[in-house]
Amino acid sequence: MWKSFVPVVVNLLLGIPAVVPAFLVWYVLSNGPLAELGWTQREPTENDGMWLWLVFVVPVVGVFGGFWALINLWMRRRLITEASSYPYWPLAVILPLAPYLLGVAFG
C-alpha cells in the first residue's frame, strides 16, 4: 500500500524545484509568442531579446526534465506493479506542477 504513495510524494517534492523551470517557460512564452499574439503584455524592461533567455531556459528545463524522467521511469518500474500505466503518467506530469500553480493562484 505504501508503494503507491511514494510516487505521489516524490512528484510533489519534485514540484518544489520545478517552480524555476515552470517560471522560466512562462516568462519566455509571455514575452515572446503570447505577446506577439496579443494575449499578454511584454515586460517593459525586456529589451535583450529572446535568445539570451533561451540560453538559460533550455539547459534548466532539460536538466530538470531529464532528472524527472529518470526518477519516474525508475519508480514506475520498481514500485508500481500494475500493467496499466494510464493513471501513473498523467499524475506524474500534473503533480510537479501543483506547487507552481498554487504559488500563482495564492501568491
Side-chain angles (χ1 to χ4, degrees):
M1 181 69 173
W2 69 272
K3 286 184 177 184
S4 61
F5 291 113
V6 171
V8 171
V9 171
V10 169
N11 279 302
L12 281 174
L13 289 175
L14 281 173
I16 296 169
V19 169
V20 174
F23 170 75
L24 289 174
V25 167
W26 170 248
Y27 190 84
V28 168
L29 288 176
S30 67
N31 283 309
L34 296 179
E36 292 292 326
L37 292 171
W39 294 355
T40 61
Q41 285 189 324
R42 289 190 192 275
E43 179 73 30
T45 60
E46 182 60 55
N47 58 2
D48 295 330
M50 286 292 109
W51 181 249
L52 178 65
W53 279 104
L54 291 177
V55 169
F56 292 112
V57 172
V58 170
V60 169
V61 171
V63 167
F64 178 79
F67 182 71
W68 173 86
L70 288 175
I71 292 291
N72 277 292
L73 286 171
W74 180 82
M75 283 190 304
R76 173 77 175 105
R77 192 175 327 120
R78 301 280 280 175
L79 299 175
I80 308 297
T81 58
E82 299 96 45
S84 174
S85 65
Y86 173 71
Y88 182 81
W89 289 110
L91 285 175
V93 170
I94 292 169
L95 286 174
L97 295 175
Y100 178 73
L101 295 174
L102 285 173
V104 168
F106 296 112

XYZ file of all heavy atoms in Angstrom:
859
model
N 0.820 -1.201 0.000
C 0.000 0.000 0.000
C 0.861 1.261 0.000
O 0.570 2.208 -0.704
C -0.928 -0.042 1.221
C -1.836 1.118 1.314
S -3.047 1.018 0.000
C -4.093 2.329 0.437
N 1.926 1.264 0.781
C 2.753 2.475 0.865
C 3.478 2.742 -0.441
O 3.840 3.880 -0.734
C 3.737 2.377 2.019
C 4.815 1.346 1.799
C 4.759 0.030 2.113
C 6.083 1.561 1.184
N 5.912 -0.599 1.731
C 6.749 0.317 1.167
C 6.718 2.663 0.648
C 8.010 0.157 0.631
C 7.989 2.497 0.118
C 8.615 1.259 0.119
N 3.692 1.697 -1.251
C 4.397 1.888 -2.518
C 3.626 2.770 -3.484
O 4.215 3.417 -4.334
C 4.693 0.532 -3.170
C 5.780 -0.240 -2.510
C 6.063 -1.501 -3.289
C 7.212 -2.252 -2.668
N 7.560 -3.433 -3.465
N 2.321 2.802 -3.372
C 1.547 3.654 -4.274
C 1.609 5.124 -3.870
O 1.345 5.998 -4.693
C 0.095 3.186 -4.326
O -0.489 3.266 -3.048
N 1.959 5.426 -2.623
C 2.067 6.814 -2.190
C 3.452 7.407 -2.441
O 3.604 8.626 -2.481
C 1.730 6.947 -0.705
C 0.281 6.690 -0.416
C -0.107 5.577 0.317
C -0.696 7.541 -0.891
C -1.442 5.334 0.574
C -2.026 7.313 -0.641
C -2.402 6.198 0.093
N 4.449 6.565 -2.619
C 5.810 7.058 -2.838
C 5.898 7.918 -4.105
O 6.451 9.027 -4.048
C 6.817 5.888 -2.860
C 8.190 6.351 -3.308
C 6.892 5.238 -1.488
N 5.382 7.482 -5.258
C 5.454 8.352 -6.440
C 4.706 9.671 -6.269
O 5.141 10.709 -6.781
C 4.830 7.519 -7.554
C 4.958 6.118 -7.110
C 4.862 6.154 -5.624
N 3.608 9.659 -5.543
C 2.851 10.897 -5.310
C 3.701 11.874 -4.503
O 3.844 13.047 -4.855
C 1.516 10.595 -4.599
C 0.836 11.878 -4.171
C 0.610 9.779 -5.500
N 4.292 11.391 -3.421
C 5.109 12.257 -2.562
C 6.351 12.732 -3.307
O 6.708 13.918 -3.239
C 5.478 11.514 -1.255
C 6.493 12.288 -0.457
C 4.232 11.234 -0.439
N 7.014 11.843 -4.024
C 8.227 12.223 -4.755
C 7.911 13.263 -5.821
O 8.641 14.245 -5.979
C 8.908 10.977 -5.360
C 9.995 11.361 -6.342
C 9.472 10.103 -4.255
N 6.818 13.081 -6.553
C 6.473 14.057 -7.591
C 6.052 15.394 -7.000
O 6.335 16.444 -7.578
C 5.402 13.498 -8.523
C 5.998 12.593 -9.572
O 6.856 13.010 -10.328
N 5.556 11.353 -9.596
N 5.389 15.377 -5.860
C 5.082 16.652 -5.196
C 6.357 17.339 -4.722
O 6.490 18.564 -4.822
C 4.125 16.433 -4.028
C 2.659 16.258 -4.400
C 1.841 15.904 -3.166
C 2.112 17.512 -5.054
N 7.309 16.568 -4.204
C 8.581 17.150 -3.784
C 9.394 17.645 -4.978
O 10.101 18.653 -4.875
C 9.383 16.138 -2.967
C 8.840 15.845 -1.578
C 9.644 14.737 -0.914
C 8.828 17.091 -0.712
N 9.298 16.945 -6.101
C 9.958 17.428 -7.319
C 9.329 18.729 -7.813
O 9.952 19.488 -8.547
C 9.892 16.376 -8.423
C 10.882 15.231 -8.343
C 10.576 14.201 -9.416
C 12.295 15.722 -8.472
N 8.109 18.989 -7.395
C 7.443 20.221 -7.782
C 8.055 21.463 -7.155
O 7.905 22.563 -7.690
N 8.768 21.292 -6.055
C 9.401 22.457 -5.411
C 10.504 23.024 -6.305
O 10.487 24.218 -6.616
C 9.888 22.099 -3.996
C 8.672 21.759 -3.132
C 10.704 23.230 -3.393
C 9.006 21.134 -1.796
N 11.483 22.212 -6.755
C 12.452 22.802 -7.693
C 11.873 23.042 -9.086
O 12.441 23.804 -9.867
C 13.586 21.772 -7.735
C 12.995 20.501 -7.297
C 11.875 20.858 -6.354
N 10.730 22.420 -9.407
C 10.110 22.621 -10.726
C 9.536 24.016 -10.879
O 9.182 24.417 -11.993
C 9.011 21.586 -10.952
N 9.467 24.771 -9.792
C 8.976 26.150 -9.874
C 9.890 26.974 -10.781
O 9.419 27.812 -11.553
C 8.871 26.759 -8.454
C 8.627 28.241 -8.498
C 7.783 26.047 -7.668
N 11.182 26.731 -10.720
C 12.132 27.514 -11.516
C 11.944 27.271 -13.016
O 11.755 28.234 -13.774
C 13.582 27.239 -11.068
C 14.581 27.934 -11.980
C 13.777 27.668 -9.628
N 11.981 26.012 -13.506
C 11.763 25.854 -14.953
C 10.364 26.261 -15.400
O 10.202 26.794 -16.505
C 12.008 24.372 -15.216
C 12.288 23.728 -13.938
C 12.358 24.759 -12.881
N 9.358 26.048 -14.563
C 7.999 26.448 -14.948
C 7.912 27.967 -15.096
O 7.298 28.473 -16.048
C 6.988 25.954 -13.920
N 8.533 28.708 -14.176
C 8.530 30.166 -14.290
C 9.299 30.626 -15.528
O 8.850 31.532 -16.240
C 9.138 30.811 -13.045
C 9.365 32.279 -13.227
C 8.304 33.164 -13.191
C 10.628 32.781 -13.483
C 8.500 34.527 -13.393
C 10.838 34.135 -13.686
C 9.770 35.004 -13.640
N 10.445 30.005 -15.790
C 11.228 30.411 -16.957
C 10.469 30.165 -18.260
O 10.495 31.002 -19.168
C 12.564 29.668 -16.980
C 13.576 30.090 -15.921
C 14.794 29.178 -15.960
C 13.986 31.530 -16.101
N 9.779 29.046 -18.346
C 8.991 28.759 -19.545
C 7.873 29.787 -19.684
O 7.622 30.318 -20.773
C 8.441 27.318 -19.504
C 7.380 27.102 -20.567
C 9.573 26.319 -19.674
N 7.195 30.103 -18.580
C 6.124 31.099 -18.645
C 6.673 32.471 -19.031
O 6.068 33.189 -19.821
C 5.387 31.197 -17.314
C 4.471 32.380 -17.303
C 4.596 33.507 -16.560
C 3.309 32.572 -18.116
N 3.583 34.392 -16.858
C 2.779 33.833 -17.817
C 2.671 31.799 -19.073
C 1.645 34.328 -18.433
C 1.542 32.311 -19.685
C 1.038 33.555 -19.361
N 7.821 32.838 -18.510
C 8.402 34.144 -18.816
C 8.725 34.258 -20.302
O 8.425 35.269 -20.937
C 9.659 34.370 -17.975
C 10.165 35.773 -18.061
C 9.632 36.770 -17.260
C 11.172 36.124 -18.957
C 10.087 38.069 -17.341
C 11.629 37.413 -19.046
C 11.083 38.385 -18.235
O 11.517 39.678 -18.320
N 9.339 33.218 -20.855
C 9.677 33.251 -22.276
C 8.411 33.277 -23.125
O 8.315 34.042 -24.083
C 10.574 32.050 -22.646
C 10.690 31.892 -24.149
C 11.946 32.215 -22.034
N 7.426 32.462 -22.776
C 6.184 32.445 -23.557
C 5.424 33.759 -23.452
O 4.893 34.261 -24.445
C 5.293 31.297 -23.100
C 5.739 29.894 -23.489
C 4.810 28.865 -22.883
C 5.829 29.749 -24.987
N 5.373 34.340 -22.265
C 4.592 35.568 -22.097
C 5.267 36.774 -22.731
O 4.593 37.730 -23.098
C 4.319 35.833 -20.619
O 5.517 36.137 -19.937
N 6.584 36.770 -22.867
C 7.280 37.880 -23.510
C 7.570 37.633 -24.982
O 8.014 38.537 -25.672
C 8.599 38.174 -22.788
C 8.376 38.921 -21.520
O 7.698 39.934 -21.492
N 8.908 38.402 -20.435
N 7.325 36.424 -25.444
C 7.599 36.094 -26.839
C 6.332 35.852 -27.620
O 5.626 36.792 -28.013
N 5.998 34.578 -27.844
C 4.878 34.270 -28.736
C 3.524 34.744 -28.231
O 2.700 35.197 -29.028
C 4.895 32.739 -28.837
C 6.013 32.250 -28.029
C 6.708 33.393 -27.413
N 3.271 34.668 -26.935
C 1.965 35.108 -26.437
C 1.808 36.623 -26.539
O 0.709 37.122 -26.772
C 1.754 34.638 -24.997
C 1.698 33.126 -24.794
C 1.511 32.790 -23.327
C 0.617 32.498 -25.637
N 2.892 37.354 -26.387
C 2.833 38.809 -26.553
C 2.637 39.171 -28.025
O 1.952 40.147 -28.334
C 4.102 39.452 -26.007
N 3.230 38.400 -28.923
C 3.034 38.652 -30.349
C 1.587 38.434 -30.764
O 1.078 39.118 -31.648
C 3.949 37.742 -31.187
C 5.409 38.059 -31.068
C 5.776 39.388 -31.688
O 5.152 39.767 -32.710
O 6.661 40.055 -31.136
N 0.928 37.466 -30.124
C -0.487 37.212 -30.416
C -1.410 38.217 -29.734
O -2.599 38.248 -30.014
C -0.863 35.799 -29.968
C -0.242 34.652 -30.756
C -0.527 33.323 -30.073
C -0.772 34.651 -32.171
N -0.874 39.013 -28.804
C -1.674 39.989 -28.092
C -2.358 39.431 -26.861
O -3.222 40.071 -26.280
N -1.975 38.223 -26.438
C -2.604 37.597 -25.271
C -1.989 38.075 -23.966
O -2.628 38.007 -22.922
C -2.499 36.092 -25.357
C -3.277 35.496 -26.491
C -4.113 36.157 -27.347
C -3.289 34.143 -26.890
N -4.633 35.286 -28.265
C -4.154 34.035 -28.004
C -2.662 33.003 -26.432
C -4.389 32.836 -28.642
C -2.905 31.808 -27.075
C -3.761 31.735 -28.161
N -0.736 38.534 -23.998
C -0.074 39.081 -22.814
C 0.641 40.364 -23.214
O 0.743 40.686 -24.393
C 0.970 38.098 -22.225
O 1.979 37.858 -23.206
C 0.339 36.791 -21.794
N 1.132 41.073 -22.218
C 1.937 42.263 -22.483
C 3.386 41.959 -22.167
O 3.694 41.275 -21.196
C 1.477 43.432 -21.616
C 0.195 44.048 -22.080
C -0.080 45.321 -21.312
O 0.216 45.410 -20.130
N -0.667 46.289 -21.989
N 4.257 42.496 -22.993
C 5.693 42.304 -22.756
C 6.124 43.037 -21.488
O 5.546 44.049 -21.117
C 6.510 42.843 -23.916
C 6.406 42.053 -25.160
C 7.445 42.552 -26.163
N 7.197 42.005 -27.466
C 7.646 40.815 -27.865
N 8.360 40.099 -27.044
N 7.360 40.367 -29.069
N 7.168 42.517 -20.875
C 7.809 43.215 -19.764
C 8.444 44.479 -20.345
O 9.204 44.414 -21.314
C 8.878 42.303 -19.156
C 9.625 42.896 -18.013
C 8.794 42.983 -16.762
O 7.905 42.148 -16.564
O 9.043 43.915 -15.988
N 8.148 45.657 -19.785
C 8.650 46.894 -20.399
C 10.173 47.012 -20.408
O 10.741 47.661 -21.277
C 8.031 48.013 -19.560
C 7.189 47.382 -18.546
C 7.272 45.910 -18.677
N 10.844 46.383 -19.453
C 12.298 46.492 -19.406
C 12.996 45.366 -20.158
O 14.217 45.316 -20.167
C 12.779 46.481 -17.940
O 12.367 45.245 -17.344
C 12.219 47.656 -17.172
N 12.240 44.483 -20.769
C 12.818 43.357 -21.506
C 13.176 43.805 -22.907
O 12.348 43.860 -23.801
C 11.822 42.199 -21.550
C 12.326 40.967 -22.250
C 13.569 40.395 -21.616
O 13.555 40.107 -20.418
O 14.567 40.261 -22.326
N 14.452 44.131 -23.116
C 14.880 44.584 -24.437
C 16.115 43.828 -24.924
O 16.756 44.244 -25.871
C 15.147 46.089 -24.437
C 16.202 46.472 -23.424
O 16.763 45.624 -22.751
N 16.464 47.763 -23.319
N 16.454 42.718 -24.282
C 17.622 41.943 -24.684
C 17.305 40.910 -25.750
O 18.203 40.301 -26.309
C 18.230 41.217 -23.475
C 18.781 42.189 -22.453
O 19.211 43.279 -22.864
O 18.774 41.847 -21.267
N 16.035 40.670 -25.986
C 15.648 39.664 -26.959
C 15.476 38.304 -26.294
O 15.832 38.088 -25.135
N 14.937 37.392 -27.043
C 14.624 36.065 -26.504
C 15.812 35.118 -26.547
O 15.845 34.132 -25.826
C 13.459 35.445 -27.271
C 12.126 36.059 -26.931
S 11.616 35.676 -25.250
C 11.793 37.248 -24.452
N 16.795 35.378 -27.378
C 17.918 34.457 -27.492
C 18.637 34.292 -26.152
O 18.987 33.175 -25.760
C 18.881 34.935 -28.571
C 20.040 34.009 -28.747
C 21.328 34.262 -28.422
C 20.016 32.683 -29.263
N 22.110 33.177 -28.707
C 21.319 32.190 -29.228
C 19.013 31.867 -29.748
C 21.650 30.913 -29.661
C 19.344 30.587 -30.175
C 20.646 30.128 -30.134
N 18.841 35.372 -25.443
C 19.509 35.305 -24.149
C 18.716 34.457 -23.171
O 19.284 33.655 -22.423
C 19.709 36.711 -23.590
C 20.354 36.790 -22.210
C 21.776 36.276 -22.266
C 20.320 38.207 -21.692
N 17.402 34.589 -23.174
C 16.575 33.792 -22.270
C 16.612 32.325 -22.636
O 16.606 31.456 -21.763
C 15.145 34.317 -22.257
C 15.040 35.485 -21.359
C 14.958 36.797 -21.726
C 15.065 35.464 -19.935
N 14.918 37.582 -20.615
C 14.978 36.794 -19.496
C 15.147 34.457 -18.987
C 14.974 37.138 -18.158
C 15.140 34.795 -17.639
C 15.055 36.127 -17.250
N 16.625 32.020 -23.931
C 16.658 30.620 -24.345
C 17.966 29.940 -23.941
O 17.987 28.742 -23.684
C 16.429 30.505 -25.847
C 15.021 30.852 -26.312
C 14.928 30.776 -27.825
C 14.004 29.941 -25.674
N 19.040 30.710 -23.853
C 20.308 30.152 -23.394
C 20.187 29.673 -21.952
O 20.803 28.679 -21.564
C 21.437 31.201 -23.534
C 22.702 30.767 -22.834
C 21.712 31.469 -25.002
N 19.366 30.320 -21.151
C 19.148 29.895 -19.775
C 18.052 28.846 -19.656
O 18.167 27.896 -18.890
C 18.765 31.092 -18.886
C 19.873 32.055 -18.691
C 19.798 33.324 -19.243
C 20.992 31.718 -17.966
C 20.819 34.223 -19.072
C 22.028 32.609 -17.791
C 21.946 33.866 -18.349
N 16.984 29.020 -20.398
C 15.792 28.182 -20.231
C 16.032 26.752 -20.710
O 15.661 25.799 -20.024
C 14.585 28.807 -20.957
C 13.405 27.867 -20.967
C 14.209 30.117 -20.302
N 16.629 26.575 -21.865
C 16.790 25.236 -22.436
C 17.614 24.329 -21.523
O 17.191 23.202 -21.237
C 17.364 25.319 -23.863
C 17.765 23.957 -24.381
C 16.358 25.966 -24.796
N 18.769 24.751 -21.004
C 19.501 23.849 -20.106
C 18.767 23.568 -18.788
O 18.772 22.432 -18.310
C 20.823 24.569 -19.828
C 20.959 25.569 -20.893
C 19.583 25.935 -21.332
N 18.119 24.579 -18.218
C 17.423 24.369 -16.938
C 16.261 23.397 -17.122
O 16.105 22.455 -16.339
C 16.938 25.716 -16.355
C 16.004 25.504 -15.190
C 18.121 26.566 -15.940
N 15.463 23.604 -18.147
C 14.327 22.712 -18.397
C 14.829 21.324 -18.800
O 14.274 20.306 -18.374
C 13.391 23.308 -19.466
C 12.333 22.314 -19.893
C 12.752 24.582 -18.940
N 15.888 21.249 -19.570
C 16.436 19.960 -19.983
C 16.977 19.146 -18.819
O 16.710 17.940 -18.726
N 17.716 19.788 -17.924
C 18.258 19.073 -16.761
C 17.133 18.622 -15.843
O 17.102 17.465 -15.402
C 19.282 19.955 -16.003
C 19.612 19.373 -14.643
C 20.538 20.112 -16.829
N 16.193 19.510 -15.561
C 15.087 19.107 -14.697
C 14.241 18.022 -15.354
O 13.859 17.048 -14.707
C 14.196 20.292 -14.326
C 13.035 19.860 -13.479
C 13.207 19.613 -12.136
C 11.782 19.651 -14.040
C 12.161 19.177 -11.348
C 10.724 19.217 -13.267
C 10.913 18.974 -11.922
N 13.930 18.161 -16.633
C 13.131 17.159 -17.339
C 13.808 15.809 -17.385
O 13.163 14.765 -17.220
N 15.113 15.794 -17.591
C 15.846 14.532 -17.588
C 15.836 13.873 -16.227
O 15.624 12.657 -16.118
N 16.057 14.656 -15.195
C 16.031 14.116 -13.829
C 14.641 13.607 -13.490
O 14.491 12.506 -12.936
C 16.466 15.208 -12.845
C 16.529 14.740 -11.427
C 17.517 13.864 -11.021
C 15.601 15.180 -10.507
C 17.569 13.421 -9.710
C 15.637 14.739 -9.197
C 16.629 13.864 -8.793
N 13.605 14.370 -13.837
C 12.229 13.959 -13.575
C 11.909 12.654 -14.295
O 11.299 11.746 -13.728
C 11.280 15.068 -14.020
C 9.853 14.686 -13.962
C 9.015 14.754 -12.900
C 9.074 14.132 -15.044
N 7.768 14.285 -13.245
C 7.783 13.899 -14.546
C 9.352 13.826 -16.359
C 6.770 13.370 -15.340
C 8.355 13.295 -17.150
C 7.079 13.075 -16.635
N 12.308 12.541 -15.564
C 12.025 11.341 -16.347
C 12.736 10.123 -15.779
O 12.142 9.043 -15.659
C 12.429 11.556 -17.804
N 14.008 10.274 -15.414
C 14.746 9.139 -14.858
C 14.145 8.663 -13.544
O 13.981 7.459 -13.321
C 16.213 9.513 -14.662
C 17.035 9.654 -15.934
C 18.432 10.158 -15.607
C 17.100 8.337 -16.680
N 13.800 9.595 -12.670
C 13.197 9.226 -11.386
C 11.863 8.520 -11.610
O 11.577 7.493 -10.989
C 13.008 10.475 -10.497
C 14.349 11.021 -10.060
C 12.115 10.198 -9.308
C 15.090 10.139 -9.097
N 11.033 9.041 -12.491
C 9.717 8.446 -12.712
C 9.800 7.110 -13.441
O 9.008 6.207 -13.153
C 8.798 9.412 -13.447
C 8.156 10.373 -12.489
O 7.335 9.983 -11.677
N 8.551 11.631 -12.566
N 10.718 6.969 -14.371
C 10.883 5.669 -15.012
C 11.336 4.624 -13.998
O 10.872 3.487 -14.005
C 11.880 5.763 -16.172
C 11.365 6.449 -17.422
C 12.506 6.670 -18.406
C 10.255 5.635 -18.062
N 12.261 5.006 -13.135
C 12.732 4.080 -12.104
C 11.605 3.712 -11.139
O 11.414 2.541 -10.826
C 13.901 4.688 -11.340
C 14.411 3.790 -10.274
C 15.272 2.744 -10.431
C 14.086 3.839 -8.883
N 15.501 2.143 -9.223
C 14.782 2.798 -8.258
C 13.278 4.667 -8.115
C 14.681 2.567 -6.893
C 13.184 4.429 -6.763
C 13.884 3.393 -6.166
N 10.847 4.710 -10.672
C 9.747 4.414 -9.744
C 8.668 3.584 -10.420
O 8.102 2.687 -9.793
C 9.129 5.717 -9.208
C 9.945 6.370 -8.151
S 9.093 7.710 -7.334
C 8.639 8.766 -8.672
N 8.376 3.870 -11.662
C 7.345 3.117 -12.377
C 7.730 1.643 -12.494
O 6.925 0.758 -12.316
C 7.133 3.734 -13.759
C 6.211 2.959 -14.654
C 4.766 3.187 -14.266
N 3.902 2.531 -15.205
C 3.248 1.412 -14.948
N 3.330 0.844 -13.793
N 2.490 0.866 -15.880
N 9.003 1.411 -12.770
C 9.474 0.049 -12.945
C 9.579 -0.703 -11.623
O 9.246 -1.867 -11.519
C 10.830 0.064 -13.642
C 11.276 -1.296 -14.116
C 12.574 -1.274 -14.913
N 12.763 -0.086 -15.714
C 13.798 0.750 -15.560
N 14.708 0.522 -14.655
N 13.911 1.800 -16.338
N 10.052 -0.034 -10.568
C 10.338 -0.717 -9.305
C 9.157 -0.756 -8.336
O 9.034 -1.711 -7.588
C 11.515 -0.037 -8.604
C 12.788 -0.017 -9.405
C 13.491 -1.297 -9.338
N 14.213 -1.318 -8.085
C 14.882 -2.334 -7.646
N 14.934 -3.424 -8.354
N 15.512 -2.288 -6.505
N 8.346 0.287 -8.319
C 7.329 0.393 -7.272
C 5.918 0.079 -7.745
O 5.096 -0.377 -6.965
C 7.347 1.795 -6.658
C 8.657 2.204 -5.996
C 8.572 3.640 -5.538
C 8.985 1.294 -4.846
N 5.616 0.344 -8.985
C 4.259 0.132 -9.482
C 4.244 -1.178 -10.261
O 4.965 -1.332 -11.241
C 3.810 1.297 -10.391
C 4.007 2.634 -9.692
C 2.384 1.097 -10.839
C 3.190 2.814 -8.442
N 3.401 -2.094 -9.841
C 3.403 -3.423 -10.461
C 2.229 -3.644 -11.405
O 2.197 -4.642 -12.094
C 3.378 -4.510 -9.368
O 2.223 -4.320 -8.561
C 4.630 -4.460 -8.534
N 1.260 -2.746 -11.450
C 0.133 -2.931 -12.362
C 0.607 -2.819 -13.806
O 1.574 -2.148 -14.101
C -0.957 -1.876 -12.129
C -1.570 -1.905 -10.761
C -0.907 -0.899 -9.837
O -0.691 0.232 -10.259
O -0.591 -1.281 -8.713
N -0.102 -3.459 -14.689
C 0.266 -3.432 -16.107
C -0.107 -2.105 -16.759
O 0.559 -1.650 -17.674
C -0.407 -4.580 -16.839
N -1.164 -1.454 -16.301
C -1.633 -0.220 -16.919
C -0.834 0.981 -16.415
O -0.661 1.171 -15.222
C -3.108 -0.002 -16.598
O -3.516 1.252 -17.067
N -0.360 1.796 -17.333
C 0.371 2.998 -16.932
C -0.501 4.240 -17.056
O -0.021 5.345 -16.866
C 1.617 3.168 -17.791
O 1.260 3.390 -19.131
N -1.791 4.048 -17.364
C -2.668 5.201 -17.565
C -2.744 6.122 -16.357
O -2.544 7.319 -16.502
C -4.070 4.769 -17.995
C -5.027 5.926 -18.039
C -4.909 6.893 -19.020
C -5.999 6.076 -17.069
C -5.758 7.981 -19.051
C -6.853 7.161 -17.095
C -6.728 8.106 -18.083
O -7.558 9.175 -18.096
N -3.022 5.662 -15.149
C -3.121 6.628 -14.060
C -1.770 7.166 -13.597
O -1.707 8.224 -12.987
C -3.816 5.858 -12.942
C -3.609 4.431 -13.249
C -3.420 4.333 -14.729
N -0.701 6.462 -13.877
C 0.606 6.902 -13.355
C 1.121 8.143 -14.071
O 1.471 9.128 -13.428
C 1.635 5.772 -13.483
C 2.971 6.170 -12.911
C 3.184 6.108 -11.543
C 3.990 6.650 -13.716
C 4.391 6.495 -10.996
C 5.198 7.040 -13.185
C 5.398 6.956 -11.827
O 6.586 7.346 -11.284
N 1.205 8.107 -15.394
C 1.864 9.191 -16.112
C 1.119 10.520 -16.077
O 1.761 11.572 -15.943
C 2.191 8.754 -17.538
C 3.300 7.745 -17.519
C 3.192 6.424 -17.807
C 4.658 7.972 -17.139
N 4.407 5.816 -17.627
C 5.324 6.740 -17.222
C 5.373 9.082 -16.725
C 6.664 6.598 -16.919
C 6.717 8.935 -16.426
C 7.348 7.715 -16.516
N -0.208 10.561 -16.178
C -0.864 11.867 -16.026
C -0.621 12.487 -14.643
O -0.384 13.690 -14.532
C -2.343 11.559 -16.234
C -2.356 10.354 -17.084
C -1.167 9.550 -16.658
N -0.647 11.664 -13.612
C -0.360 12.187 -12.274
C 1.094 12.612 -12.142
O 1.402 13.605 -11.477
C -0.697 11.145 -11.204
C -2.172 10.963 -10.922
C -2.381 9.809 -9.943
C -2.775 12.235 -10.376
N 1.996 11.868 -12.768
C 3.420 12.220 -12.701
C 3.706 13.538 -13.413
O 4.681 14.215 -13.090
C 4.265 11.105 -13.306
N 2.874 13.920 -14.353
C 3.042 15.204 -15.042
C 2.366 16.326 -14.268
O 2.915 17.431 -14.142
C 2.477 15.117 -16.479
C 2.424 16.484 -17.135
C 3.306 14.156 -17.311
N 1.191 16.066 -13.711
C 0.415 17.117 -13.043
C 0.960 17.449 -11.652
O 1.014 18.626 -11.280
C -1.066 16.704 -12.972
C -1.656 16.686 -14.381
C -1.862 17.638 -12.078
C -3.017 16.054 -14.465
N 1.365 16.458 -10.894
C 1.787 16.697 -9.505
C 2.982 17.638 -9.371
O 2.978 18.491 -8.488
C 2.059 15.366 -8.798
C 0.811 14.570 -8.430
C 1.196 13.213 -7.862
C -0.055 15.334 -7.460
N 4.031 17.547 -10.210
C 5.117 18.522 -10.063
C 4.702 19.958 -10.393
O 5.351 20.907 -9.956
C 6.181 18.035 -11.045
C 5.916 16.605 -11.209
C 4.430 16.464 -11.106
N 3.635 20.135 -11.136
C 3.166 21.489 -11.452
C 2.322 22.089 -10.332
O 2.074 23.294 -10.324
C 2.356 21.473 -12.746
C 3.131 21.105 -14.003
C 2.191 21.014 -15.188
C 4.239 22.099 -14.266
N 1.876 21.263 -9.388
C 0.995 21.730 -8.321
C 1.600 22.857 -7.486
O 0.919 23.863 -7.242
C 0.564 20.565 -7.441
N 2.860 22.773 -7.026
C 3.401 23.894 -6.244
C 3.461 25.207 -7.031
O 3.181 26.276 -6.486
C 4.802 23.426 -5.851
C 4.706 21.943 -5.846
C 3.765 21.616 -6.972
N 3.825 25.135 -8.325
C 3.871 26.346 -9.130
C 2.466 26.943 -9.294
O 2.287 28.150 -9.141
C 4.476 26.048 -10.495
C 4.505 27.252 -11.399
C 5.411 28.284 -11.169
C 3.625 27.386 -12.466
C 5.440 29.397 -11.981
C 3.648 28.490 -13.288
C 4.557 29.495 -13.042
O 4.577 30.608 -13.842
N 1.504 26.102 -9.599
C 0.138 26.594 -9.790
C -0.443 27.145 -8.489
O -1.183 28.140 -8.512
C -0.745 25.491 -10.357
C -0.360 25.016 -11.761
C -1.202 23.833 -12.182
C -0.442 26.146 -12.760
N -0.135 26.529 -7.366
C -0.573 27.076 -6.081
C 0.077 28.426 -5.798
O -0.544 29.330 -5.267
C -0.265 26.090 -4.949
C -1.184 24.871 -4.863
C -0.663 23.908 -3.809
C -2.597 25.279 -4.553
N 1.347 28.539 -6.155
C 2.047 29.818 -5.978
C 1.460 30.913 -6.847
O 1.343 32.065 -6.423
N 1.081 30.584 -8.064
C 0.467 31.560 -8.961
C -0.916 31.941 -8.450
O -1.296 33.113 -8.471
C 0.395 31.004 -10.397
C -0.476 31.856 -11.277
C 1.790 30.876 -10.982
N -1.666 30.959 -7.973
C -3.033 31.223 -7.536
C -3.088 32.034 -6.236
O -3.936 32.913 -6.091
C -3.791 29.906 -7.346
N -2.194 31.732 -5.304
C -2.263 32.379 -3.998
C -1.118 33.333 -3.732
O -1.035 33.904 -2.654
C -2.277 31.310 -2.894
C -3.497 30.437 -2.946
C -3.391 29.106 -3.292
C -4.750 30.951 -2.685
C -4.497 28.287 -3.346
C -5.871 30.153 -2.743
C -5.759 28.807 -3.067
N -0.234 33.509 -4.689
C 0.954 34.349 -4.468
C 0.800 35.763 -4.846
O -0.038 36.484 -5.060
